[in-house]
C-alpha cells in the first residue's frame, strides 16, 4: 500500500501554548487569570477544533458582490463565507471587542482581550480585520466626546449579542494616496436641510459588509492637506436596508486576506455626521489607528504561532533520512529560531496591550502615554516583518506539502503579507517612531528599559541584559550623532526595528528571570539568549550620510520606460 503522510494536528490552543500561559501567569493577578481562564480554554478548543476544520473546508469560499437583484434593482450586497458568519457570532459572544470596554478586569482588561484575540485570530480567516476597526471606532468615538454618536453606536460596537453587534469600517485610502491621507479628494457638503453629504471614491475599504464606518472627507471650502480634513461617522444602510447614498463598484482581487471583502466604494451623497468638528480629522482618527496597529501586531503573533504549531507537530510525524524531522539537528535549530521570534513578538505586543490598559484605566501618566505612542508603531512594524519571515520558513519546513493550497500553510503565508502594509508600512511607521523618539521618547524608553531589566539577577541573564544595553547604546549614538536630517531619516527603519528587537529581548529576559524564580523552567532563558543572538541592532551599517547616493543609484532611469 502506498505511504500516506499523516497531517499535522492542533491541540487546544491555550493549554498547548506554554509561552502564552507563562506570560499570563506573570502579568495577571491570579484571581483575574482564574476568572478568565475558562474562556481562554473554550476559545483554544474552538480555534483548534471547529473553527480550524471550517477554515480548511471553507478554503475556496470567498466573498461575493451581488450588485443587482432579479428585477434590476441595484442592491450591492456582499456575501461572506460561512466561517465569517460563525466568527461574527462567536466574536460577539466572547466579547472580543466588548472585553476592553466592560473593563471587568480593570487595567488588565486589554491584556485579557488580546489573549482572546490571539487564540481566535488564526482560525477565522482574518475576521479580526473588521473587529480591529470596530474596537478602534469605539475608542475614537469615546475620545471624541460626541455624546449623540456614542449613545447611538457604542452599544452596538461593544455588544455581546450577535443580533445587535455592529462592526465598523475605516475608510481612509483613496486612489490619490494611502498613508498620505492629506491628499484626500472626498468632499463633504451640506444639503438644503443642513445635513452633511459625502461625495468621492474610497479606493480600499476593508470592511465593506460593516454596518458603519469612520471616514475622512474635506468640508467644502476647507484648505488642502490633512488639516482641512474632518472625521465623519456614517451608517452604510438606511432603515429600509438600502445603501446610504453609495455604490460598491467591485471587490478587490488581493494576494492574501482574500476572505476579507475589500471594496472600492463610490460615495454619491452619503449622509454622514461630523465626529469632532470640521477640521483636523487625521488627528481625531489617530486613537483608532493606535488600536488597529496593536491588533495588527497580535494577529501577526497569532499567525506565527499557528504556523509554528503546525510545523512542530508535522516534524514529530514526518520521517526523513532515518529519523523524525524533529530529531534532525538542523531542522530543530530552524524551528527553534522561529519559536524564538514568535516569543519575542508575543511579549512585545502584550506589553503594548498592558500599556493601553493602563491608559484606559487612567492609571498611566503622561510619560507612559508617550511610551505607548512610541512602542505601538514599533511593535506593529517589527511583528509584521517577523510574521512574513517566520511563515515563509514554516512553509519551507513542510517541503513541497507547504506549497500546496489545501495543506493550510500557504494561506498563512499569503495572509501574513498584509501585516507590514495595512495601517502603515514599515517605512511610514519608522518615521512616526523617529519623530516621537526625537521628542523625548527615547529617554523615556531607555528609562523603561532599565525598569524592565532591573529585576534580573541570574548570571546568564545578566549577560543577556548587558548585550541589550549595548544595543541601546548603539541606537542612542545613531539617533544623536550630528548629521543631516535626511541621513537620520534614511536610518529610521533600522532604528525602529532595533528598538523593537531590543525591547522584546528585555521583556524575554525579564520573563526568564520570573520563570526561573517561579517554575524552574529553562526554556524562557533559552529564548532570551537566542533572541539576542539572532540580532538586535547591528553596528556599522548606518545609511550613508549623503542620502543623495540612494537617489543617484535608483534615479538613472535605466530601468524605466
Amino acid at each position: 500500500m502506498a505511504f500516506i503522510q499523516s497531517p499535522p494536528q492542533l491541540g487546544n490552543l491555550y493549554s498547548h501554548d506554554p509561552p502564552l500561559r507563562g506570560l499570563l501567569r506573570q502579568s495577571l493577578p491570579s484571581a483575574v487569570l482564574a476568572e478568565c481562564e475558562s474562556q481562554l480554554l473554550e476559545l483554544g478548543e474552538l480555534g483548534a477544533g471547529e473553527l480550524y476544520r471550517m477554515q480548511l473546508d471553507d478554503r475556496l469560499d470567498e466573498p461575493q458582490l451581488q450588485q443587482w437583484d432579479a428585477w434590476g434593482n441595484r442592491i450591492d450586497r456582499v456575501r461572506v463565507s460561512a466561517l465569517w458568519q460563525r466568527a461574527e457570532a462567536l466574536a460577539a459572544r466572547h466579547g472580543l471587542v466588548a472585553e476592553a470596554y466592560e473593563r471587568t478586569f480593570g487595567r488588565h482588561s486589554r491584556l485579557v482581550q488580546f489573549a482572546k484575540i490571539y487564540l481566535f485570530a488564526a482560525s477565522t480567516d482574518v475576521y479580526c480585520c473588521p473587529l480591529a476597526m470596530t474596537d478602534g471606532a469605539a475608542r475614537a468615538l469615546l475620545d471624541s466626546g460626541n455624546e449623540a454618536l456614542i449613545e447611538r453606536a457604542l452599544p452596538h460596537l461593544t455588544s455581546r449579542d450577535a443580533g445587535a453587534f455592529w462592526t465598523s469600517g475605516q475608510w481612509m485610502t483613496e486612489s490619490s494616496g494611502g498613508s498620505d491621507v492629506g491628499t484626500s479628494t472626498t468632499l463633504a457638503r451640506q444639503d438644503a436641510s443642513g445635513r452633511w453629504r459625502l461625495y468621492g471614491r474610497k479606493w480600499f475599504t476593508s470592511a465593506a459588509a460593516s454596518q458603519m464606518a469612520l471616514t475622512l472627507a474635506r468640508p467644502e471650502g476647507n484648505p488642502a492637506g490633512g488639516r482641512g480634513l474632518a472625521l465623519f461617522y456614517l451608517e452604510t444602510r438606511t432603515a429600509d436596508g438600502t445603501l446610504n447614498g453609495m455604490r460598491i463598484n467591485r471587490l478587490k482581487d488581493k494576494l492574501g486576506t482574500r476572505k476579507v471583502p475589500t471594496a472600492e466604494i463610490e460615495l454619491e451623497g452619503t449622509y454622514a455626521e461630523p465626529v469632532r468638528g470640521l477640521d483636523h480629522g487625521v488627528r481625531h482618527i489617530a486613537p483608532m489607528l493606535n488600536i488597529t496597529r496593536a491588533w495588527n501586531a497580535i494577529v501577526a503573533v497569532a499567525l506565527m504561532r499557528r504556523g509554528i504549531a503546525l510545523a512542530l507537530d508535522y516534524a514529530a510525524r514526518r520521517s526523513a533520512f532515518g529519523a523524525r524531522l524533529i530529531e534532525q539537528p538542523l531542522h530543530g535549530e530552524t524551528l527553534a529560531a522561529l519559536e524564538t521570534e514568535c516569543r519575542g513578538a508575543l511579549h512585545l505586543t502584550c506589553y503594548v496591550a498592558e500599556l493601553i490598559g493602563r491608559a484606559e484605566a487612567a492609571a498611566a501618566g503622561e510619560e507612559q502615554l508617550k511610551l505607548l505612542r512610541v512602542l505601538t508603531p514599533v511593535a506593529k512594524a517589527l511583528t509584521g516583518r517577523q510574521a512574513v519571515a517566520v511563515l515563509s520558513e514554516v512553509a519551507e519546513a513542510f517541503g513541497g506539502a507547504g506549497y500546496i493550497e489545501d495543506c493550510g500553510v500557504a494561506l498563512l503565508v499569503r495572509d501574513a503579507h498584509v501585516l507590514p502594509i495595512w495601517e502603515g508600512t514599515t517605512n511610514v511607521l519608522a518615521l512616526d517612531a523617529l519623530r516621537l523618539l526625537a521628542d523625548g521618547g527615547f529617554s523615556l524608553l531607555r528609562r523603561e528599559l532599565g525598569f524592565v531589566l532591573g529585576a534580573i539577577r541570574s548570571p546568564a541573564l545578566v549577560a543577556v541584559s548587558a548585550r541589550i544595553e549595548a544595543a541601546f547604546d548603539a541606537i542612542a549614538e545613531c539617533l544623536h550623532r550630528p548629521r543631516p536630517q535626511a541621513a537620520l531619516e534614511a536610518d529610521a527603519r533600522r532604528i525602529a526595528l532595533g528598538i523593537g528587537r531590543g525591547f522584546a529581548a528585555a521583556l524575554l529576559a525579564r520573563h526568564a528571570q520570573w520563570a526561573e524564580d517561579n517554575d524552574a523552567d529553562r526554556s524562557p532563558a533559552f529564548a532570551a539568549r537566542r533572541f539576542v543572538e539572532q540580532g538586535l541592532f547591528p553596528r556599522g551599517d548606518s545609511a550613508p550620510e549623503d542620502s543623495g547616493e540612494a537617489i543617484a543609484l535608483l534615479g538613472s532611469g535605466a530601468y524605466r520606460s
Side-chain angles (χ1 to χ4, degrees):
M1 182 177 177
F3 170 76
I4 301 294
Q5 174 65 47
S6 60
Q9 303 293 320
L10 293 173
N12 183 292
L13 302 184
Y14 179 70
S15 60
H16 286 68
D17 192 335
L20 174 65
R21 296 201 321 275
L23 184 150
L24 294 179
R25 282 186 58 217
Q26 178 194 5
S27 303
L28 293 176
S30 57
V32 171
L33 183 56
E35 188 172 344
C36 71
E37 198 158 32
S38 62
Q39 300 173 59
L40 300 178
L41 282 164
E42 184 180 350
L43 280 168
E45 194 58 40
L46 282 167
E50 176 195 345
L51 294 176
Y52 184 51
R53 289 190 298 271
M54 285 187 73
Q55 184 179 54
L56 294 176
D57 293 343
D58 211 27
R59 182 175 59 85
L60 299 177
D61 186 11
E62 296 184 359
Q64 295 178 2
L65 171 61
Q66 181 187 0
Q67 292 183 304
W68 310 92
D69 70 10
W71 307 101
N73 298 300
R74 184 76 183 254
I75 57 174
D76 285 358
R77 292 197 180 277
V78 177
R79 188 196 68 79
V80 296
S81 70
L83 175 56
W84 261 51
Q85 294 171 49
R86 177 69 172 137
E88 180 177 38
L90 288 171
R93 178 161 69 83
H94 285 276
L96 263 70
V97 176
E99 190 73 66
Y101 298 92
E102 294 167 348
R103 307 210 52 75
T104 302
F105 304 112
R107 68 182 180 89
H108 304 291
S109 296
R110 276 289 178 186
L111 182 55
V112 172
Q113 179 203 28
F114 270 50
K116 289 182 173 184
I117 298 164
Y118 172 84
L119 296 169
F120 180 83
S123 296
T124 48
D125 284 342
V126 203
Y127 186 71
C128 281
C129 172
L131 292 179
M133 292 185 285
T134 301
D135 191 348
R139 183 74 264 156
L141 289 176
L142 281 171
D143 285 3
S144 76
N146 188 322
E147 293 299 332
L149 292 182
I150 292 169
E151 183 178 349
R152 167 66 179 161
L154 198 69
H156 291 290
L157 299 176
T158 60
S159 177
R160 286 181 181 258
D161 177 0
F165 180 59
W166 285 3
T167 56
S168 176
Q170 174 187 298
W171 298 355
M172 294 171 59
T173 305
E174 301 184 9
S175 55
S176 57
S179 298
D180 186 9
V181 295
T183 60
S184 173
T185 59
T186 299
L187 180 67
R189 178 186 298 140
Q190 285 182 294
D191 63 17
S193 68
R195 294 186 68 182
W196 287 95
R197 290 174 174 264
L198 307 185
Y199 301 86
R201 182 173 65 169
K202 295 298 182 181
W203 185 76
F204 204 94
T205 63
S206 291
S210 290
Q211 290 85 355
M212 61 156 284
L214 296 184
T215 187
L216 295 175
R218 193 178 312 279
E220 195 168 33
N222 271 22
R227 188 169 62 89
L229 293 173
L231 179 61
F232 284 88
Y233 163 95
L234 63 88
E235 294 176 16
T236 52
R237 292 187 180 269
T238 60
D240 64 3
T242 58
L243 278 173
N244 173 18
M246 64 183 75
R247 287 187 292 116
I248 302 178
N249 290 334
R250 61 170 174 165
L251 297 182
K252 295 289 193 178
D253 190 9
K254 297 168 293 179
L255 167 69
T257 65
R258 298 185 66 87
K259 298 302 183 73
V260 181
T262 306
E264 284 183 22
I265 293 181
E266 201 81 30
L267 305 178
E268 301 175 321
T270 305
Y271 285 116
E273 296 181 47
V275 173
R276 191 175 181 179
L278 295 177
D279 55 9
H280 296 294
V282 177
R283 180 193 303 166
H284 297 150
I285 206 171
M288 183 175 195
L289 298 180
N290 289 333
I291 295 295
T292 54
R293 285 172 175 177
W295 275 72
N296 194 97
I298 196 63
V299 170
V301 185
L303 295 187
M304 283 189 272
R305 173 54 60 209
R306 169 56 49 82
I308 293 166
L310 292 172
L312 283 170
D313 190 78
Y314 183 74
R317 296 170 183 273
R318 176 70 174 169
S319 293
F321 306 106
R324 294 181 305 159
L325 289 180
I326 198 65
E327 296 163 350
Q328 302 281 5
L330 182 55
H331 196 77
E333 279 295 308
T334 300
L335 294 182
L338 305 184
E339 173 69 20
T340 298
E341 291 297 310
C342 186
R343 291 191 186 203
L346 175 66
H347 278 266
L348 180 61
T349 300
C350 287
Y351 186 81
V352 168
E354 289 185 79
L355 288 176
I356 296 172
R358 289 179 211 163
E360 292 177 335
E366 184 56 39
E367 291 185 347
Q368 283 207 315
L369 293 176
K370 181 172 281 191
L371 185 66
L372 172 62
R373 289 193 289 271
V374 172
L375 283 178
T376 299
V378 164
K380 190 275 184 188
L382 177 62
T383 56
R385 300 199 63 78
Q386 285 174 305
V388 170
V390 164
L391 290 165
S392 178
E393 284 280 10
V394 163
E396 191 174 341
F398 282 84
Y403 200 65
I404 305 302
E405 283 289 348
D406 56 5
C407 173
V409 175
L411 172 72
L412 295 172
V413 177
R414 286 189 284 105
D415 285 350
H417 278 76
V418 80
L419 297 167
I421 297 172
W422 187 61
E423 299 298 47
T425 62
T426 306
N427 285 355
V428 167
L429 295 166
L431 291 170
D432 280 355
L434 188 66
R435 174 178 51 81
L436 292 161
L437 291 167
D439 187 27
F442 186 74
S443 60
L444 289 174
L445 193 66
R446 193 67 189 264
R447 190 173 70 179
E448 189 71 12
L449 183 78
F451 295 149
V452 170
L453 296 175
I456 291 175
R457 302 178 312 280
S458 165
L461 294 173
V462 168
V464 168
S465 177
R467 293 182 64 176
I468 296 167
E469 291 279 13
F472 270 80
D473 288 342
I475 294 170
E477 190 279 330
C478 188
L479 274 170
H480 301 133
R481 182 172 72 246
R483 54 178 167 162
Q485 180 66 21
L488 178 60
E489 289 183 6
D491 244 356
R493 174 190 285 233
R494 191 171 71 101
I495 292 167
L497 296 178
I499 285 172
R501 292 194 66 82
F503 209 85
L507 294 168
L508 286 174
R510 182 180 69 172
H511 178 68
Q513 184 67 65
W514 176 89
E516 186 174 303
D517 294 343
N518 291 272
D519 295 336
D521 182 2
R522 300 174 64 198
S523 69
F526 295 156
R529 177 180 56 79
R530 292 184 69 112
F531 194 89
V532 169
E533 291 173 351
Q534 285 168 207
L536 298 179
F537 185 75
R539 294 174 179 269
D541 59 350
S542 293
E545 294 295 307
D546 179 8
S547 61
E549 181 179 304
I551 296 171
L553 181 65
L554 301 173
S556 66
Y559 307 112
R560 296 179 298 195
S561 59

